[in-house]
Amino acid sequence: MAADAAGPDETEEEPIKQRKNGLYPGVSDELAENMKSGWADTELYELEPIPQAANTAARRAALSARFPGERLVIPAGNLKTRSNDTEYAFRASVEYAYLTGNQTEDGVLVMEPTKTGHDATIYLLPRSDRENGEFWLDGQGELWVGRRHSLTEAEKLYGIPASDVRELAGALREATGPVRVVRGHDAGIEAALTDKVTAERDEELRVFLSEARLVKDEFEIGELQKACDSTARGFEDVVKILDKAEATSERYIEGTFFLRARVEGNDIGYGSICAAGPHATTLHWVRNDGPVRPGELLLLDAGVETHTYYTADITRTLPINGRFDELQKKIYDAVYEAQEAGIAAVRPGAKYRDFHDASQRVLAEKLVEWGLVEGPVERVLELGLQRRWTLHGTGHMLGMDVHDCAAARRETYVDGTLEPGMCLTVEPGLYFQADDLTVPEEYRGIGVRIEDDILVTEDGNRNLSDALPRRSDEVEAWMARLKG
């Protein structure tokens, strides 16, 4: 990163701020004039629409039909400060990206009501101004952070008329008529609408956009498959370096998978869980700073996020030395059997809860069989006694968020019915905490989860992540092949 931005002294008239401890006290008139000219035309004239342009148009049409006569405002969000004058990597709000395909900070989609529906406009920052020096003096100028698309280029890419977002807040303050906004992403836009919106009406908009993502279109399914395929390659990468992880820590595993995510996708879809040994019993172990020891298990829960924000979410539990011992295999095979029952329950017309119930029944049966909880099984399930060791739900919707569609109503999600195009995880697990005195000592510190990404099809389901083995003997053979 460069040391500092050059800039003029900060005055009331100067809109471009200088870093407090910058090395240059100001800009001479001669330099300012010099920087205005001598630059080549970089406008891109032969752009094609993004691949999902037709899909995003269809999504906007569905949104328009749901809220006729109302102005709808969907912001991308703003940069968030990490520390001092550095920012976190930006990720646009899911609602905005879903409806536009655009991913740039400060963008806002506005749907203006008409007699026949809505006119959509995407409000964006235009190219940096070279006349006033913004492009090289401002910390977010293009010389510092890179070129952005012109408004004309944006219109070609996204198939939506584009305007300058800096003029939007003022226009919204003057606007009349019913309006809704997706909250939590852009404080400035929300402030401009503060006397025009209500929390209840805005929540209805958020819920609709969450439920719209329950059933994926063909473009989304393709992206989820790409995410799963890249993730499978990331898991293979990890197996190949387990000896190096043993010499260092779980962070070697985390970094190895992250490399695949950045090379083939946008990022990781969530914080990778690289849990070795007893850390596997902590559901969201993301510290990833512990030892990796042969003879123990590695629970790897990770997903590649594609360039369009769709993420995989896959878990495999692997013997670090390549072979399960007898107890590890018994526990692993029980979880595999539970997952098989759960996957078999995923089909159109089934209740969403069915795959969870099927998996939990198998695990409860195993716990009773092993003498860890007193039966009968029906009693265990009725009282939820298996949850001491199964802990979590058996899955969730998957898409642009790893826990997708979270704002959907219960009746359309957890109490709903599966439909073709829905994508969900099936991920049963057994976790015996290191300090759990209710189980034999040899069980303590063992955690096993197996997770796959399952698409509901017209006649059943498809495992998008079946490139990775699941059965214990297949896992051992796969690891041997990769290490050999």
Side-chain angles (χ1 to χ4, degrees):
M1 180 178 291
D4 54 33
D9 291 328
E10 187 174 343
T11 65
E12 288 186 5
E13 294 78 22
E14 179 51 66
I16 299 171
K17 298 179 72 173
Q18 178 195 16
R19 190 176 293 182
K20 180 178 180 181
N21 286 301
L23 293 175
Y24 289 101
V27 174
S28 69
D29 292 342
E30 289 79 4
L31 177 58
E33 192 64 29
N34 176 274
M35 292 296 287
K36 291 179 182 180
S37 61
W39 304 100
D41 178 14
T42 61
E43 184 76 8
L44 304 175
Y45 294 101
E46 298 181 0
L47 291 174
E48 295 293 329
I50 59 174
Q52 67 268 42
N55 303 84
T56 55
R59 297 165 194 167
R60 293 193 300 274
L63 175 62
S64 174
R66 171 62 180 82
F67 297 104
E70 302 185 53
R71 181 177 290 103
L72 308 173
V73 182
I74 301 95
N78 316 122
L79 290 172
K80 292 181 172 61
T81 299
R82 181 179 184 271
S83 180
N84 188 23
D85 56 357
T86 61
E87 292 84 21
Y88 287 104
F90 179 74
R91 189 181 191 276
S93 74
V94 164
E95 296 87 353
Y96 175 84
Y98 177 75
L99 293 168
T100 67
N102 178 257
Q103 299 177 8
T104 55
E105 64 269 20
D106 302 325
V108 184
L109 173 68
V110 178
M111 305 276 287
E112 291 284 348
T114 67
K115 291 181 179 179
T116 58
H118 287 81
D119 287 338
T121 302
I122 188 169
Y123 288 84
L124 302 166
L125 284 172
R127 296 288 308 281
S128 289
D129 191 336
R130 292 177 186 259
E131 190 64 27
N132 71 359
E134 172 198 351
F135 86 101
W136 72 287
L137 295 174
D138 188 271
Q140 292 300 318
E142 292 184 6
L143 187 145
W144 291 95
V145 299
R147 184 189 188 277
R148 50 182 175 254
H149 286 296
S150 70
L151 298 182
T152 301
E153 291 170 352
E155 290 183 358
K156 293 177 182 178
L157 287 169
Y158 307 110
I160 312 171
S163 293
D164 190 337
V165 71
R166 294 171 297 188
E167 302 169 359
L168 179 58
L172 291 176
R173 289 189 190 95
E174 302 300 321
T176 60
V179 60
R180 299 175 191 254
V181 63
V182 177
R183 299 190 180 201
H185 301 298
D186 193 318
I189 293 299
E190 289 180 38
L193 295 169
T194 186
D195 60 341
K196 307 177 192 300
V197 296
T198 68
E200 181 180 7
R201 286 165 49 79
D202 291 348
E203 180 64 11
E204 288 175 352
L205 173 60
R206 188 172 79 103
V207 168
F208 173 82
L209 290 173
S210 193
E211 293 182 356
R213 302 199 309 276
L214 283 167
V215 176
K216 271 60 181 178
D217 60 36
E218 286 304 312
F219 176 83
E220 294 178 287
I221 293 169
E223 290 298 291
L224 286 166
Q225 185 64 70
K226 284 198 293 188
C228 288
D229 292 344
S230 289
T231 301
R233 289 188 284 273
F235 276 60
E236 291 177 350
D237 296 339
V238 167
V239 171
K240 292 174 182 177
I241 56 83
L242 280 177
D243 57 335
K244 293 182 175 64
E246 290 176 28
T248 52
S249 75
E250 295 163 338
R251 290 195 176 185
Y252 206 101
I253 295 167
E254 178 183 8
T256 298
F257 185 84
F258 179 71
L259 176 61
R260 179 66 65 172
R262 286 294 282 165
V263 168
E264 295 194 1
N266 178 57
D267 206 333
I268 50 174
Y270 53 95
S272 299
I273 299 168
C274 308
H279 289 162
T281 66
T282 300
L283 294 185
H284 290 165
W285 177 260
V286 293
R287 299 180 202 171
N288 299 335
D289 59 0
V292 179
R293 294 180 285 248
E296 296 184 334
L297 299 177
L298 166 68
L299 190 156
L300 178 60
D301 184 336
V304 172
E305 176 186 84
T306 67
H307 293 291
T308 56
Y309 288 174
Y310 290 87
T311 186
D313 181 9
I314 302 173
T315 305
R316 290 294 182 268
T317 304
L318 310 173
I320 292 167
N321 64 5
R323 301 284 295 182
F324 294 101
D325 68 27
E326 185 177 351
L327 180 59
Q328 290 168 349
K329 185 177 186 301
K330 181 176 82 167
I331 296 170
Y332 184 95
D333 288 348
V335 174
Y336 171 76
E337 186 178 331
Q339 194 201 29
E340 283 283 272
I343 292 174
V346 175
R347 57 184 180 274
K351 293 296 184 184
Y352 175 84
R353 292 178 177 272
D354 288 353
F355 76 95
H356 169 71
D357 293 342
S359 291
Q360 289 292 298
R361 176 171 291 276
V362 171
L363 295 178
E365 290 170 351
K366 297 296 182 181
L367 292 166
V368 170
E369 176 187 326
W370 299 340
L372 302 184
V373 64
E374 182 180 349
V377 170
E378 293 299 337
R379 167 184 171 271
V380 173
L381 292 170
E382 181 181 355
L383 299 176
L385 301 180
Q386 83 284 358
R387 293 179 61 186
R388 182 181 178 103
W389 303 284
T390 66
L391 297 179
H392 54 81
T394 309
H396 52 80
M397 291 296 181
L398 184 68
M400 297 181 85
D401 280 330
V402 65
H403 295 152
D404 208 28
C405 314
R409 295 167 295 171
R410 290 186 65 86
E411 58 264 33
T412 63
Y413 188 161
V414 71
D415 293 331
T417 300
L418 296 180
E419 301 176 38
M422 290 181 170
C423 187
L424 56 124
T425 67
V426 178
E427 50 176 307
L430 284 173
Y431 312 91
F432 300 103
Q433 304 301 318
D435 58 351
D436 187 350
L437 301 181
T438 70
V439 299
E441 184 175 0
E442 60 268 24
Y443 283 75
R444 298 172 198 165
I446 295 177
V448 173
R449 179 164 67 252
I450 312 172
E451 177 181 19
D452 284 88
D453 301 342
I454 309 299
L455 173 70
V456 183
T457 62
E458 295 289 345
D459 57 357
N461 69 65
R462 185 171 99 226
N463 186 345
L464 301 180
S465 47
D466 65 357
L468 288 171
R470 294 185 295 123
R471 213 173 61 201
S472 58
D473 59 332
E474 293 175 342
V475 168
E476 290 178 336
W478 170 72
M479 293 184 69
R481 184 171 67 255
L482 290 172
K483 288 185 172 185

